Amino acid sequence: MGITKEASQADVKKAYRKLARKYHPDVNPNNKEAEANFKKVNEANEVLGDVEKRKKYDQYGKDWQHSEQFEKAQRSSGSQWSSGRTDANFEGADFSDFFESMFGGGARDFSGRRQVKFRGQDFNAEAHLTLTDAYKTHKQTFTVNGKNIRITIPAGIENGQTIKIPGHGGPGSNGGPNGDLFITFSIENDTTFKRDGDHLFSTVALDLYTALLGGEITIDTFDGKVKLKIKPETQSGTTVKLRNKGFPIYKKEGQFGDLFITFSIVMPTNLSKKEQDLFKELAFLRTQKTN
């Protein structure tokens, strides 16, 4: 259904409605492919839309219906399955690849009976980065269950994003595969920029005279300072876009979002008597012009 494992039930419902409308037979008359997809979407929603069924699916995948039999075998922790043997609950069943990996492809003991393979437990970890860290691709070492794991973190990673490190979870049993390691990133903003996806936003103070007459100012971007031309009579709240000066796009080397600069006009203070007189003269000239 195009959703992640961490999707909420509301996300599941939203995704289902969207796909159901897309593949509905009334919208796709005589379209066998759409009909098949519509059936798959309904089957997926039947599982993922039910909290208990979803828990089993998250753990066992497409074989979630057989979870009770698997858990029974797991609790026995060491029960043996001989070649060609079928339990009463499995009799006549067509084993999937999942159950074949659990019961049909295990190592044999001295009596020739197959041992049950168990996949290792998945581990979850949280990594803390600053926004400055996330701006560049870099390597970082994590300690998980006493083991050091060094990984490359691509530039542009998002706050709350989770990446999977295959095979770095708990060890499997009886020759089963290791579990996976899932790392979720928490990113703290240590800059004056506001990030929204690949774009950055910043507010820049602009003095009244430059705003009125125009000119050139130097501003900060994430990777250094740049000069920016100001048009005469620039209004407070005006926003300009600097292309490719935003945040790196995740796993797209050399591609960046945009930087949006909003100007805030700063009024002069502590005016001298001469300055006050000049502003009064300007105000008078403006009045004469409008009249």
Side-chain angles (χ1 to χ4, degrees):
M1 292 174 65
I3 55 177
T4 65
K5 188 176 181 180
E6 292 75 25
S8 65
Q9 292 302 112
D11 292 332
V12 172
K13 189 174 183 180
K14 182 179 178 181
Y16 166 69
R17 288 178 173 176
K18 180 180 178 180
L19 292 175
R21 286 195 298 267
K22 179 179 179 180
Y23 295 117
H24 197 281
D26 292 345
V27 181
N28 305 273
N30 302 320
N31 188 326
K32 296 296 184 182
E33 183 178 354
E35 181 179 346
N37 286 331
F38 183 72
K39 182 179 179 181
K40 291 178 182 178
V41 168
N42 280 305
E43 290 174 348
N45 183 61
E46 180 184 354
V47 178
L48 300 182
D50 184 287
V51 176
E52 293 303 318
K53 289 181 180 178
R54 181 179 175 180
K55 286 181 181 178
K56 293 180 179 179
Y57 181 83
D58 287 341
Q59 187 171 2
Y60 300 107
K62 61 186 178 65
D63 297 280
W64 65 273
Q65 299 99 325
H66 305 295
S67 60
E68 291 182 4
Q69 293 96 318
F70 172 73
E71 288 167 358
K72 180 180 178 182
Q74 190 176 37
R75 285 194 297 269
S76 67
S77 63
S79 60
Q80 307 298 320
W81 296 78
S82 61
S83 177
R85 172 183 172 179
T86 56
D87 185 85
N89 292 330
F90 294 120
E91 191 168 2
D94 180 15
F95 287 179
S96 67
D97 292 340
F98 172 84
F99 272 86
E100 183 64 25
S101 67
M102 289 296 175
F103 300 115
R108 296 172 182 267
D109 62 12
F110 65 89
S111 65
R113 294 178 297 182
R114 293 188 181 96
Q115 294 180 334
V116 180
K117 285 183 177 181
F118 293 110
R119 182 180 179 276
Q121 180 183 2
D122 289 337
F123 289 160
N124 293 280
E126 186 176 69
H128 294 270
L129 302 176
T130 64
L131 196 61
T132 303
D133 293 331
Y135 186 79
K136 293 183 178 180
T137 297
H138 65 285
K139 293 183 180 295
Q140 192 163 334
T141 301
F142 299 92
T143 302
V144 180
N145 271 24
K147 293 182 179 180
N148 289 334
I149 302 171
R150 188 168 177 80
I151 67 170
T152 298
I153 302 173
I157 195 161
E158 292 268 7
N159 181 50
Q161 184 174 342
T162 299
I163 63 174
K164 181 175 77 171
I165 313 298
H168 282 81
S173 300
N174 293 336
N178 290 348
D180 299 323
L181 170 62
F182 294 88
I183 301 177
T184 300
F185 290 86
S186 176
I187 300 177
E188 177 186 358
N189 190 348
D190 60 337
T191 74
T192 59
F193 298 97
K194 178 182 177 183
R195 180 188 182 188
D196 184 3
D198 304 319
H199 299 311
L200 293 173
F201 298 83
S202 180
T203 300
V204 172
L206 193 63
D207 68 83
L208 177 64
Y209 310 106
T210 305
L212 287 172
L213 304 175
E216 189 176 76
I217 63 173
T218 300
I219 64 168
D220 292 318
T221 69
F222 216 103
D223 61 349
K225 296 180 180 295
V226 298
K227 290 184 178 181
L228 185 63
K229 289 185 177 181
I230 306 299
K231 293 181 180 179
E233 301 180 9
T234 294
Q235 300 296 307
S236 186
T238 297
T239 297
V240 296
K241 179 174 72 173
L242 277 65
R243 293 180 59 83
N244 301 319
K245 285 296 182 180
F247 218 69
I249 299 176
Y250 184 71
K251 286 191 175 181
K252 292 187 177 181
E253 189 71 27
Q255 296 187 38
F256 295 80
D258 301 323
L259 170 60
F260 294 86
I261 301 292
T262 300
F263 295 115
S264 175
I265 308 300
V266 180
M267 301 299 293
T269 58
N270 300 320
L271 297 177
S272 67
K273 178 67 169 58
K274 185 175 182 179
E275 287 175 321
Q276 292 179 12
D277 291 340
L278 288 172
F279 274 111
K280 288 178 182 178
E281 184 177 348
L282 287 171
F284 176 76
L285 291 173
R286 193 70 178 176
T287 303
Q288 292 296 104
K289 182 178 180 181
T290 56
N291 292 337

